[in-house]
Amino acid sequence: MINDSVFDKFPNLETERLIFRQLVMEDASEIQFIRSNEEVMRFLDNDNHLTLEVSQKFISTNLESYLAHNGLHWVIIEKSSNHLIGDFAFWKLDKKNHRAEIGYTLKPQFWGQGFMFESMSALINFGFKEFNLHSIEANINPANENSRKLLVKMGFKKEAYFRENYFYNGTYLDSEIYSLLESDFNK
Ligand SMILES: CC(C)(COP(=O)(O)OP(=O)(O)OC[C@H]1O[C@@H](n2cnc3c(N)ncnc32)[C@H](O)[C@@H]1OP(=O)(O)O)[C@@H](O)C(=O)NCCC(=O)NCCS
């Protein structure tokens, strides 16, 4: 069973270099900064946050999702600089099958330093051990090499390749699905 008590008090967590805390409305300008960056958005296949209002709406949707016990959305803070460097979410929660999808971004200046690997290691551990997920899914644009590399390093296995199943901006895009079982993670 999914551990619903994580929705009573938001699970703020930390690792050696990072703090993970709940995404809140005050983060809107940082979220807009990330989600209007071309490098970040290149393979996200979601609309750019052209205005602050778009980010505010994004945050309120995610806060509502938490209140409805449907998802968890953290921002990632680098401890040494107290800088918001990215975000990580469990969403599309499939309670019956104890499964969730993950989404994540880092500001490009923080790529290549293992920050998302460190984040995923902690948050996926939380997902299996505390949240009681059985499996975790990631859906990537097949051209998103950085994301694929990270998922494979985390132990995710390729599960499916959907051809032209995602209609975005007038184009049908392919999707690659990766998944991690709790038993893969513990190996
Ligand atoms: C996906 C994304 C988060 C990956 O970021 P990343 O910096 O490549 O991933 P990590 O933070 O785990 O860093 C890994 C890199 O740091 C290096 N590294 C340096 N120090 C490290 C450490 N202490 N631990 C682990 N890796 C370390 C690794 O060797 C690796 O570099 P390489 O790719 O040259 O081999 C980033 O590309 C991104 O934000 N993309 C845009 C948004 C996006 O596409 N999200 C995914 C949607 S599905």
Side-chain angles (χ1 to χ4, degrees), residues 17 34 39-44 102-108 110-118 120 138-141 144 146-151 153:
R17 294 184 292 173
I34 295 173
E39 280 183 89
V40 172
M41 299 309 283
R42 188 157 169 221
F43 304 117
L44 276 192
I102 52 172
Y104 41 90
T105 68
L106 278 183
K107 287 180 181 169
F110 294 96
W111 293 6
Q113 298 168 62
F115 285 126
M116 193 50 76
F117 185 78
E118 185 170 325
M120 272 196 187
N139 178 333
I140 67 165
N141 179 321
N144 197 342
N146 288 343
S147 193
R148 179 189 296 103
K149 205 166 153 189
L150 172 63
L151 292 169
K153 201 155 64 170

Side-chain angles (χ1 to χ4, degrees), residues 158-172:
K158 184 166 152 182
E159 198 162 69
Y161 189 104
F162 292 118
R163 296 183 309 146
E164 300 190 4
N165 72 322
Y166 185 63
F167 188 62
Y168 180 67
N169 258 354
T171 311
Y172 293 98

Side-chain angles (χ1 to χ4, degrees), residues 41-105:
M41 299 309 283
R42 188 157 169 221
F43 304 117
L44 276 192
D45 306 322
N46 272 296
D47 292 346
N48 258 318
H49 288 199
L50 293 175
T51 63
L52 191 65
E53 287 67 35
V54 178
S55 300
Q56 287 166 338
K57 176 82 185 75
F58 172 86
I59 293 171
S60 63
T61 302
N62 282 295
L63 286 171
E64 281 160 23
S65 167
Y66 177 70
L67 291 175
H69 297 198
N70 282 329
L72 295 162
H73 203 139
W74 289 268
V75 289
I76 305 168
I77 311 289
E78 194 203 7
K79 279 184 187 171
S80 66
S81 60
N82 202 28
H83 195 103
L84 191 159
I85 66 168
D87 69 330
F88 180 98
F90 284 120
W91 66 306
K92 292 194 179 170
L93 191 57
D94 174 357
K95 288 193 181 174
K96 180 172 172 292
N97 299 307
H98 309 160
R99 188 175 174 97
E101 186 172 323
I102 52 172
Y104 41 90
T105 68

